């Protein structure tokens, strides 16, 4: 049968990897019940080599999602509870004196993993939060004048409590911009919540999920995503979104170039998941709110649902170039 133009697998593409990606998604949906869209976007973030910010109340499945993603992609997983007394060295590692050798030796911290869960990141001090910046931006850590590369793939999944809860420090704009997407899982619908209660939750099931990919196969998928085509028309649409966001009176500032790259890369990953080797405006629109939320900050403080609605209204006001 002839392949439909623009539909994967492209010539030379890895059909087995495509099948495994579908299995990854199915496995995630087994333990994150009733959240197909959120699972898809978390997978978008992973394939686009991004970092994910999960903002929600405690107990809504954020840790389960992070653990499940690590298990099915065959990735090493570490969790760090961000508390007020956490220090940068507790995350990055430190040089330790070895008297038997007469030298300082670097002891890696928990950040040396494939997927790091920074749990309740906004309960730590700004100094500790900023310790993640270099790692998130460049995939490396500098300690004692030496640079140490992080494993690949590398992803930070940070959970954040709403800012009106006690003991939280707002993330600075420079830190927010390092996250590709911001998601909120929210409460499940009553039928799915009933299933969660009957199963006593799905955290243990997430712990037992089999690996569908290896880290090497995950990197191969990430490379395929980078080859998804973005037409001149799509580039014009992205640039128009950036221009209008910079003019918009309700935003403190518009998209930076790095933010625009995040929007492009997320759209490429979603197109890949949907089986295409090119991006359409629909993929851009589907990822716009999660990408724009941590970047297009409103001038006045408004609750998350109203912020999301503002972003959707802005998106609808920007036409797709002909």
């Amino acid at each position: 049968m002839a392949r439909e133009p623009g539909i994967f697998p492209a010539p030379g593409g890895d059909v087995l990897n495509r099948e495994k990606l579908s299995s990854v998604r199915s496995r995630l949906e087994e333990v994150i019940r009733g959240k197909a869209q959120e699972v898809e976007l978390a997978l978008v973030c992973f394939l686009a080599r991004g970092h994910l910010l999960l903002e929600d109340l405690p107990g809504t499945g954020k840790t389960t999602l992070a653990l499940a993603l690590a298990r099915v992609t065959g990735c090493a997983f570490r969790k760090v509870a961000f508390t007020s007394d956490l220090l940068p060295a507790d995350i990055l590692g430190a040089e330790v004196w070895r008297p038997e050798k007469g030298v300082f030796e670097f002891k890696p911290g928990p950040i040396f993993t494939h997927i790091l869960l920074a749990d309740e990141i906004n309960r730590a001090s700004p100094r500790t939060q900023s310790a993640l910046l270099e790692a998130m931006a460049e995939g490396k850590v500098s300690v004692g004048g030496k640079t140490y590369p992080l494993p690949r793939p590398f992803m930070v999944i940070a959970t954040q409590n709403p800012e009106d809860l006690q003991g939280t420090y707002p993330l600075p704009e420079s830190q927010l911009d390092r996250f590709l997407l911001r998601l909120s899982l929210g409460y499940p619908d009553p039928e799915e919540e009933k299933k969660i209660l009957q199963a006593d939750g799905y955290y243990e099931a997430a712990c037992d999920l089999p690996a569908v990919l290896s880290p090497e196969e995950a990197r191969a998928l990430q490379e395929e995503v980078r080859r998804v085509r973005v037409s001149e028309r799509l580039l014009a649409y992205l640039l128009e979104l950036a221009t209008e966001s910079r003019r918009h009176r309700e935003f403190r500032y518009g998209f930076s170039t790095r933010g625009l790259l995040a929007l492009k890369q997320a759209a490429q990953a979603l197109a890949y998941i949907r089986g295409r080797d090119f991006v359409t405006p629909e993929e851009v629109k589907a990822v716009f709110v999660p990408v724009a939320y941590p970047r297009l900050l409103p001038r006045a403080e408004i609750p998350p649902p109203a912020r999301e609605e503002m972003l959707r209204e802005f998106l609808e006001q920007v036409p797709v170039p002909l």
Side-chain angles (χ1 to χ4, degrees):
M1 181 180 293
R3 182 174 62 90
E4 183 180 345
I7 300 296
F8 276 102
D14 190 336
V15 180
L16 181 59
N17 275 355
R18 298 287 306 167
E19 293 174 350
K20 286 186 174 182
L21 179 59
S22 177
S23 180
V24 164
R25 183 172 180 173
S26 297
R27 292 287 188 179
L28 289 173
E29 290 180 1
E30 288 175 10
V31 295
I32 307 298
R33 307 291 301 191
K35 299 293 178 181
Q37 183 179 13
E38 288 78 7
V39 165
E40 181 179 65
L41 288 170
L43 199 50
V44 160
C45 195
F46 179 78
L47 291 175
R49 300 183 178 183
H51 306 290
L52 178 61
L53 180 62
L54 294 173
E55 185 179 57
D56 218 326
L57 292 167
T60 50
K62 301 185 294 296
T63 300
T64 301
L65 173 59
L67 174 63
L69 182 60
R71 290 286 184 264
V72 296
T73 56
C75 288
F77 175 78
R78 299 289 296 274
K79 175 181 176 181
V80 176
F82 275 59
T83 57
S84 58
D85 59 348
L86 191 72
L87 299 175
D90 297 327
I91 305 167
L92 306 180
E95 290 189 319
V96 178
W97 176 250
R98 299 297 187 190
E100 69 279 8
K101 298 179 181 179
V103 296
F104 281 98
E105 189 175 281
F106 178 63
K107 182 180 180 182
I111 200 168
F112 286 84
T113 188
H114 291 123
I115 294 181
L116 175 73
L117 176 60
D119 196 30
E120 298 189 325
I121 189 173
N122 58 336
R123 289 198 181 276
S125 68
R127 177 170 174 249
T128 300
Q129 292 174 6
S130 65
L132 290 174
L133 279 176
E134 181 186 23
M136 294 173 68
E138 301 178 32
K140 64 182 182 180
V141 166
S142 296
V143 176
K146 296 180 181 179
T147 300
Y148 304 91
L150 293 168
R152 293 179 55 204
F154 174 69
M155 181 184 192
V156 173
I157 300 179
T159 70
Q160 175 173 255
N161 294 320
E163 292 180 8
D164 55 353
L165 293 187
Q166 291 185 353
T168 59
Y169 299 85
L171 292 178
E173 286 82 355
S174 59
Q175 184 99 24
L176 286 171
D177 195 42
R178 303 296 177 178
F179 290 99
L180 186 80
L181 302 177
R182 174 267 184 192
L183 294 179
S184 176
L185 292 178
Y187 296 119
D189 63 49
E191 188 60 35
E192 291 297 341
E193 195 160 26
K194 179 181 177 181
K195 294 177 183 177
I196 294 170
L197 290 173
Q198 290 172 331
D200 288 329
Y202 286 96
Y203 182 80
E204 290 184 7
C207 292
D208 295 333
L209 283 174
V212 178
L213 300 172
S214 67
E216 293 73 25
E217 289 171 322
R219 289 201 302 270
L221 287 173
Q222 291 174 336
E223 286 298 325
E224 287 191 20
V225 165
R226 292 167 72 94
R227 294 194 293 269
V228 172
R229 292 184 291 109
V230 179
S231 67
E232 290 292 327
R233 177 172 175 249
L234 253 293
L235 288 176
Y237 183 39
L238 293 172
L239 290 168
E240 187 66 17
L241 286 168
T243 299
E244 292 302 318
S245 72
R246 295 162 188 169
R247 295 173 178 168
H248 202 280
R249 291 180 296 178
E250 298 300 322
F251 300 143
R252 279 193 263 169
Y253 27 75
F255 269 115
S256 66
T257 304
R258 182 165 58 213
L260 205 56
L261 279 169
L263 185 58
K264 170 180 170 280
Q265 291 160 358
Q268 285 177 297
L270 182 57
Y272 184 84
I273 290 172
R274 291 179 172 180
R276 280 198 293 272
D277 60 1
F278 63 94
V279 180
T280 72
E282 292 309 308
E283 277 84 51
V284 175
K285 292 180 179 181
V287 300
F288 180 80
V289 172
V291 172
Y293 190 95
R295 294 174 173 86
L296 301 185
L297 305 179
R299 293 187 181 277
E301 289 297 324
I302 56 176
R307 280 180 63 180
E308 292 173 4
E309 184 59 32
M310 176 190 293
L311 291 170
R312 282 190 287 268
E313 290 176 358
F314 165 78
L315 180 64
E316 292 304 314
Q317 293 168 5
V318 181
V320 178
L322 298 176

